[in-house]
Amino acid sequence: MVSFQVFGPLEALAGGRPLRISGRKPRMLLATLLLDANHLVSADLLAEVLWERPPRSAQANLRTYASSLRSSLGARIRAEGAGYLIDVAPQDLDLLRFEHLVARRDPGSLAAALALWRGAPLSDLPEHPLWTRRLALLHEVRLAAARELITARLEQGEYGEAVALLRPLCAEHPFREDLWGQLMLALHWSGRQAEALACYTTIRRQLVTELGVEPGAGLREAQAKVLDGGPPPVVAAGAVRVSEAVVPVPRQLPPDVPDFVGRVNESVALAGPFSLAVISGPPGSGKSALAVHNAYALADRFPAGQLFLSLAANDPADLLAQALRAMGAASIPDSPAERSALYRSILADRPMLVVLDDAMDASQVRPLLPGRGPSVIVTSRTKLTALPGALQIQLKPLSRYEAEDLLRGIVGEARTAREPEAAAAIVRACGFVPLAVRIAGARLAARPGWPLAVFQSRLMDEHRRIGELRIGDLDVRTGLDHSYRGLPGEAARALHTLGRLSGAPIPGWVVDAVLDRHRADDVTDSLMDADLLRLVGTDRLGQPRYQLPDLVRCHALEQDPDPAALARVVAGWTATTELATAKLPTTVFTLSSAAAERWLLPRGTLDRLTADPVAWFEVEHGALEDAVSLAAAAGMAEQAWGLAAAMVPYLDLRCHFDTWQRTHRTALAAARAAGDTYGEAAMLRGLAQVCLYQDRYAESEEMFARARRAFREFGDTRAEATSICGLGAVAQFRGRHPIALSHFRRALVMFGSTGDLSGEAFTRQAIGRVWLKSGDPVQAARWLGQALRLAQELGDVHREGCVSIQLGGHHVERALEIFESLGDPHCGAYALQRLAGLQAARGDLVPASTGLERSRAVFKQLGDRSGQASSAELLGELHRSAGRAELARDYLSEAVALRGSLAAEAV
């Protein structure tokens, strides 16, 4: 198992031995993912870290770097939505172990945490602004942990240990008077008065020389204690201040959660000085638990007491009366304004902590805010950014490992260890939300005979999941219902439909389509303010992307769907896809559904998003596949197959054959269920093309033939001609050249009758290719020359590249240049293969071998066994001519095996 260290230089270790991480950019990628381990990091943020100005190839390069890290380190890096995530167990990353130990807060754990600190995090990598906040927080956590441990050592009389901790901290923070003061007292109380006074001399000289200031009151007080020579302070047990005997000291905090987990960074933020802190987050995220847990940790700083007020839907005037009674007010004024004034007067300059739980909005909180003196923690489902100067703490779900820790603590170590996969699936189904995980654990604890897999299977049904997450008075539905009821009408309607989508991040215009109006930003803002919709990042097109938390989505599934809204979402994807497709370098044989709905984004938005059509498709690739599935599941067959067909030119260009097959099979099933024969034919024709690319000739021929018959019955000459071209290609690859010529000539006439010049260019090239394979270069040159001229007249650069491969000679380098510029690896591999043949004929064996290896790798990756066999055969001949008999035999055997498998399938 590989472990990682980010404290000090970035290191990966296997069995305690360091592994090599090659290249600065892969190291920067790994470092960024580890700093936010087990959480999604947007691809755009990663690109910003790796490049000052991300190139167009940034996303492809990220995939390459991630793949390299996976293969070289065994790192569990996965792409998810619009970003990447690294799965790391707490014991395999020093940062996670550090935070876990600090969260325990006992002296032993704090000492163990500090021992992990090998130096400044990522000290061997160049600093990046996007790391600044995270790294600064780690330094703060380390300093807070050290100070807490120092305090514990001093209280326990372990002055030597305190000195050992303080000396390096004083060196790192040469002007922190509080640390120097503690060091002086620790030295003094350990009998080293002279050293303590020397420390004072040192810090005073530094302050005067470098800052021009004298030591502050605290440092001078520490010096006086040393000079006085008194013993360490002894706190008398049970001592009570005079004021405490006179003024009531409210201790109203509800019970702390005994098995509190995670929230290390949030707790560190609350450990610092603040006058007002607002903890917000979605239902069940543990806002109240965090507030109470930290209120207990801070209790010693607030000897005047702790007030706890549950705001909910209560009137601020009633809450003020409650608070005044708790603080011993002799009488309660009648008017809210007078109550608020008395409340502030009593609290003035009193060190008290006030917790205001479950606030609805800022107007409910303002009358309960004291003046100077107390500190206030507010929890709310909404972001109370209207409260000025507040420390804002926004809660996310727990990490996977924190959620598993919580479940393990409730269910038991032995039980979760027996079924680790089921335990992981349960917390994932709970969305890593603390309340949901706690309920799941309680239900399992109440049924000790249940295997975890039983409850896991019950949670897998998203329509039943919310109902399963309930026990006693704990119910996930209660908080979700409360948040839902507080939404404006349009926001509630939008939530219904968004819940029917896949759960992957979506661009903001999807909300516009749901509501059938542009610029529905007000609704998006309402959902975000209620923490029912999360902003997960900005994609490379500049679009903010949003995501429903899993449990919010499951709750929305319980509402009745709006079929018209769902149809508009798919119609928006279809219209935008067709516009992007029209801008691609090749759109030959595109089929479309005239009856499928289109919902248009504003023209300016459409033009901006599809200015680089390939970039748009790369960003929306997964969302488009989800939209096809959505349409099929909703019974919108024409929408499903229309969108699947519109995607084909891009899927063909980038060789996304798996997506091509999945979308077409999904839409094919929908078309058949709806009795849509034309849609069925369109999907069969698309699937046949994939089979052709993957050398599954029998399947391909059968589907092309069925599609042709259907198109003929509909009288769609062009669509029929595209299917005939497919039959011609199958015949050509099987070596049946006369049959192939017959098919292509028939298709040429049909394209001519419909005025489809792109179809004519394709067919003339196909005929030339067949003549070339038949050994007639004169006929081949005639037909290929016609195809090249027509492609150039049409401005069809992709077709020009395809023809140039067959023409050979100097045309091949032009073809390779075209396909590399268009990002078409499949056709590029054929160009490499043809160029290598020309290089070998000239005796340039090294570049020929390199080109053949590259083409062979591409063909293998794409499942093109025919292309792979040709490259392997050429490599075999190349190595045999160079006298490398064994290597030649391996390549030639590979070619024979591949061609044998193709021949067997052709029978």
Side-chain angles (χ1 to χ4, degrees):
M1 181 64 70
V2 177
S3 62
F4 300 95
Q5 294 180 344
V6 298
F7 294 139
L10 174 65
E11 285 192 354
L13 304 122
R17 302 182 65 179
L19 298 174
R20 178 175 171 77
I21 311 172
S22 300
R24 185 173 69 88
K25 284 187 169 57
R27 292 175 67 81
M28 298 279 282
L29 170 62
L30 178 61
T32 308
L33 293 175
L34 289 173
L35 286 177
D36 209 5
N38 304 311
H39 290 96
L40 187 69
V41 181
S42 77
D44 291 311
L45 186 145
L46 292 170
E48 195 173 340
V49 171
L50 268 60
W51 294 277
E52 184 176 347
R53 293 182 179 177
R56 289 180 60 184
S57 61
Q59 301 299 320
N61 291 345
L62 281 175
R63 288 193 292 271
T64 301
Y65 296 148
S67 176
S68 168
L69 290 170
R70 278 194 293 267
S71 59
S72 62
L73 303 178
R76 292 194 294 176
I77 298 173
R78 53 190 169 91
E80 186 175 294
Y84 291 83
L85 177 149
I86 184 167
D87 280 315
V88 187
Q91 66 270 19
D92 294 329
L93 175 59
D94 57 358
L95 184 153
L96 294 180
R97 293 202 306 278
F98 173 80
E99 292 183 332
H100 181 72
L101 289 165
V102 168
R104 293 181 178 177
R105 304 183 81 155
D106 62 274
S109 297
L110 292 172
L114 295 172
L116 294 171
W117 192 275
R118 300 180 301 137
L122 307 175
S123 58
D124 61 328
L125 291 174
E127 293 184 9
H128 195 281
L130 292 175
W131 293 348
T132 301
R133 187 160 177 256
R134 178 67 165 128
L135 297 183
L137 186 58
L138 283 174
H139 283 285
E140 289 175 19
V141 172
R142 182 236 181 173
L143 182 58
R147 294 189 64 183
E148 192 167 344
L149 181 58
I150 289 163
T151 300
R153 296 294 190 229
L154 292 174
E155 288 175 351
Q156 294 162 6
E158 299 171 352
Y159 304 124
E161 289 81 351
V163 169
L165 289 165
L166 281 161
R167 283 203 186 278
L169 287 177
C170 288
E172 291 176 30
H173 305 279
F175 304 111
R176 287 288 296 256
E177 296 185 33
D178 54 340
L179 295 175
W180 282 93
Q182 283 187 307
L183 176 58
M184 289 169 60
L185 293 173
L187 287 166
H188 167 52
W189 292 333
S190 59
R192 298 153 70 180
Q193 187 182 37
E195 288 183 62
L197 293 172
C199 280
Y200 181 80
T201 302
T202 300
I203 179 59
R204 182 183 179 280
R205 183 171 55 249
Q206 290 173 183
L207 291 170
V208 172
T209 303
E210 300 191 33
L211 302 182
V213 297
E214 288 289 341
L219 201 55
R220 292 197 304 273
E221 184 180 342
Q223 182 201 26
K225 287 181 179 179
V226 175
L227 291 170
D228 184 53
V234 177
V235 180
V240 180
R241 295 181 185 177
V242 174
S243 61
E244 290 178 346
V246 177
V247 180
V249 180
R251 307 288 187 189
Q252 295 186 335
L253 295 177
D256 193 6
V257 178
D259 53 358
F260 187 87
V261 300
R263 307 303 189 200
V264 174
N265 295 335
E266 294 84 353
S267 295
V268 168
L270 289 169
F274 67 89
S275 58
L276 174 61
V278 176
I279 303 171
S280 59
S285 57
K287 300 178 289 294
S288 299
L290 175 65
V292 171
H293 183 72
N294 281 275
Y296 274 106
L298 299 171
D300 290 344
R301 282 168 39 186
F302 300 98
Q306 300 88 41
L307 277 175
F308 185 91
L309 300 175
S310 179
L311 274 60
N314 295 315
D315 189 306
D318 295 334
L319 294 164
L320 284 167
Q322 179 184 332
L324 289 170
R325 283 191 293 270
M327 292 186 294
S331 62
I332 309 297
D334 291 332
S335 76
E338 288 177 310
R339 290 180 185 182
S340 185
L342 179 57
Y343 170 79
R344 289 194 297 272
S345 296
I346 293 175
L347 286 176
D349 296 317
R350 292 184 66 185
M352 182 177 284
L353 178 64
V354 180
V355 178
L356 304 177
D357 190 48
D358 197 17
M360 294 177 62
D361 53 38
S363 65
Q364 190 186 29
V365 172
R366 286 192 187 97
L368 297 163
L369 294 179
R372 191 177 57 186
S375 291
V376 180
I377 299 176
V378 182
T379 72
S380 178
R381 290 181 172 89
T382 60
K383 300 178 180 71
L384 304 182
T385 52
L387 296 174
L391 168 66
Q392 296 286 345
I393 296 176
Q394 171 68 25
L395 294 190
K396 297 179 180 179
L398 297 172
S399 73
R400 169 191 160 188
Y401 296 104
E402 290 168 343
E404 288 179 0
D405 276 349
L406 178 57
L407 183 70
R408 189 180 302 113
I410 301 169
V411 175
E413 177 81 38
R415 199 168 168 195
T416 54
R418 284 196 300 270
E419 297 179 81
E421 292 182 359
I426 287 170
V427 298
R428 188 165 53 250
C430 290
F432 309 115
V433 173
L435 177 62
V437 175
R438 187 170 296 283
I439 292 172
R443 291 199 62 184
L444 288 165
R447 294 162 179 79
W450 260 14
L452 268 61
V454 170
F455 193 50
Q456 173 198 348
S457 66
R458 293 172 71 159
L459 291 176
M460 289 305 101
D461 184 348
E462 293 185 335
H463 291 81
R464 290 182 52 192
R465 187 176 298 172
I466 301 299
E468 292 287 347
L469 293 172
R470 175 184 180 183
I471 186 168
D473 62 345
L474 295 179
D475 189 350
V476 166
R477 187 190 307 282
T478 302
L480 291 169
D481 283 347
H482 180 83
S483 294
Y484 176 76
R485 284 194 297 270
L487 291 174
E490 278 195 322
R493 290 201 304 277
L495 194 62
H496 291 174
T497 302
L498 295 177
R500 299 279 160 177
L501 308 185
S502 70
I506 57 170
W509 67 257
V510 171
V511 179
D512 297 359
V514 167
L515 299 172
D516 199 17
R517 69 177 175 91
H518 297 133
R519 302 195 178 282
D521 300 338
D522 54 324
V523 173
T524 304
D525 290 344
S526 295
L527 292 171
M528 289 182 63
D529 288 343
D531 268 315
L532 298 174
L533 186 69
R534 287 199 299 258
L535 175 67
V536 295
T538 302
D539 61 34
R540 60 186 288 198
L541 304 173
Q543 299 179 109
R545 298 193 82 85
Y546 304 94
Q547 187 174 34
L548 287 185
D550 283 345
L551 294 181
V552 174
R553 185 170 56 83
C554 291
H555 184 260
L557 286 173
E558 297 180 347
Q559 314 301 321
D560 293 331
D562 181 350
L566 288 173
R568 285 193 297 273
V569 171
V570 181
W573 285 118
T574 302
T576 311
T577 299
E578 288 177 341
L579 179 63
T581 294
K583 296 180 179 181
L584 288 173
T586 177
T587 58
V588 69
F589 297 167
T590 304
L591 296 171
S592 64
S593 169
E597 293 181 36
R598 275 81 171 168
W599 191 87
L600 292 174
L601 280 68
R603 188 70 206 189
T605 303
L606 275 175
D607 290 341
R608 177 175 57 81
L609 292 178
T610 61
D612 182 344
V614 173
W616 182 82
F617 273 112
E618 286 180 345
V619 168
E620 305 297 5
H621 184 128
L624 291 170
E625 183 174 353
D626 290 340
V628 172
S629 299
L630 172 67
M636 298 183 288
E638 284 206 89
Q639 295 283 85
W641 77 255
L643 179 55
M647 293 169 64
V648 164
Y650 165 71
L651 299 175
D652 194 348
L653 180 69
R654 286 302 172 94
C655 308
H656 291 304
F657 299 147
D658 289 343
T659 304
W660 190 339
Q661 289 186 95
R662 285 194 301 270
T663 54
H664 275 55
R665 284 171 179 162
T666 298
L668 176 62
R672 283 173 173 165
D676 185 344
T677 311
Y678 190 93
E680 181 180 351
M683 295 298 93
L684 284 171
R685 198 249 170 264
L687 287 168
Q689 191 70 35
V690 181
C691 290
L692 177 67
Y693 286 154
Q694 296 184 335
D695 306 319
R696 291 159 29 217
Y697 298 138
E699 291 176 71
S700 179
E701 184 175 38
E702 189 265 339
M703 285 189 279
F704 275 131
R706 286 167 62 191
R708 177 194 178 183
R709 288 193 295 272
F711 289 135
R712 186 192 304 160
E713 289 175 8
F714 278 97
D716 190 333
T717 303
R718 179 183 174 277
E720 182 186 355
T722 67
S723 301
I724 292 172
C725 282
L727 291 169
V730 172
Q732 178 212 314
F733 282 117
R734 284 178 155 178
R736 302 168 183 172
H737 298 149
I739 297 174
L741 283 172
S742 174
H743 282 310
F744 287 133
R745 283 174 172 147
R746 185 177 296 110
L748 181 61
V749 173
M750 297 171 80
F751 283 129
S753 70
T754 61
D756 187 340
L757 296 178
S758 293
E760 279 194 47
F762 173 88
T763 313
R764 291 184 186 281
Q765 178 209 342
I767 292 171
R769 187 173 62 238
V770 175
W771 281 119
L772 203 61
K773 295 288 184 181
S774 301
D776 192 332
V778 176
Q779 284 282 17
R782 182 168 74 89
W783 285 94
L784 291 172
Q786 294 171 3
L788 182 64
R789 286 191 294 275
L790 188 52
Q792 290 171 337
E793 288 171 11
L794 293 170
D796 187 343
V797 181
H798 191 276
R799 181 61 45 208
E800 180 186 346
C802 292
V803 176
S804 297
I805 293 176
Q806 265 91 50
L807 283 169
H810 66 279
H811 294 283
V812 179
E813 291 185 359
R814 166 65 178 156
L816 185 58
E817 178 186 312
I818 287 172
F819 295 131
E820 286 182 346
S821 69
L822 296 178
D824 183 347
H826 199 191
C827 290
Y830 278 108
L832 277 171
Q833 188 185 79
R834 187 69 192 277
L835 180 61
L838 296 173
Q839 289 168 332
R842 295 196 300 263
D844 298 333
L845 302 186
V846 173
S849 176
T850 302
L852 288 171
E853 286 287 9
R854 285 174 58 196
S855 67
R856 173 176 165 270
V858 172
F859 290 134
K860 187 174 183 179
Q861 178 188 356
L862 300 176
D864 183 345
R865 289 172 292 168
S866 177
Q868 182 185 346
S870 296
S871 291
E873 182 179 22
L874 289 168
L875 279 165
E877 296 294 344
L878 203 64
H879 287 298
R880 184 161 60 187
S881 66
R884 294 186 282 270
E886 187 173 345
L887 198 54
R889 187 162 50 252
D890 290 342
Y891 282 115
L892 293 171
S893 297
E894 178 184 321
V896 169
L898 287 166
R899 291 210 169 100
S901 68
L902 291 171
E905 292 177 13
V907 176

